[in-house]
Amino acid sequence: MNSCATDLCCTVAISVSFAILVGVLPILKGWPIHYLIIGGYICVVLMTTIAPDEIIGLAYDSGGVTTSTITVPLVTALGVGLASSIKERNPMVDGFGLIAFASLTPIIFVMVYGMMFLCTITSWHAISWLLSKPSTRPN
């Protein structure tokens, strides 16, 4: 597998893991999860305006990929089970909020990865272009 494809798979996997870690905190602490989701989507909209066009579609598709036949039942069971064991928590809201958050973070992480990758490529092209030019200094 290509190095960039491996990096992308790892980025999506890490982002879903991060989403579950951060998404469980509101359930445990009693915070409303919808503030995290709304803030995340505001972040996505703002990042979409500055991200390179080549990565935007891939980032949004990465968010959709996380709603697979394996991820949704596991994340829903985690959210519903955890919220059911804590008084004054709504298992349905918390369970599906966790899924929403898990499909939101890959979009953010892949856009950040794309911006970092593009900056690295651009920097290397600029450095190689500068190094390939003949020296204009007198001997």
Side-chain angles (χ1 to χ4, degrees):
M1 194 186 296
N2 189 338
S3 170
C4 292
T6 304
D7 291 347
L8 181 65
C9 288
C10 290
T11 301
V12 171
I14 290 168
S15 67
V16 171
S17 302
F18 177 77
I20 292 171
L21 174 73
V22 173
V24 164
L25 287 177
I27 297 172
L28 294 174
K29 298 288 186 179
W31 304 330
I33 197 167
H34 61 274
Y35 291 134
L36 282 174
I37 296 170
I38 291 169
Y41 277 110
I42 289 171
C43 182
V44 166
V45 169
L46 294 175
M47 288 180 71
T48 302
T49 61
I50 61 171
D53 292 336
E54 298 86 4
I55 200 71
I56 292 173
L58 185 62
Y60 279 86
D61 282 346
S62 297
V65 164
T66 59
T67 57
S68 68
T69 57
I70 300 295
T71 309
V72 170
L74 288 175
V75 173
T76 304
L78 175 70
V80 170
L82 187 60
S84 296
S85 66
I86 298 173
K87 290 186 179 207
E88 298 182 16
R89 296 304 300 175
N90 185 345
M92 298 311 287
V93 171
D94 290 329
F96 288 106
L98 202 54
I99 292 172
F101 199 61
S103 64
L104 168 71
T105 54
I107 300 171
I108 296 170
F109 276 56
V110 170
M111 275 199 257
V112 168
Y113 172 75
M115 287 189 276
M116 289 179 4
F117 186 74
L118 186 67
C119 289
T120 304
I121 295 291
T122 306
S123 299
W124 280 111
H125 282 290
I127 290 170
S128 65
W129 180 77
L130 287 172
L131 293 176
S132 67
K133 295 199 63 88
S135 178
T136 56
R137 290 185 289 166
N139 289 334

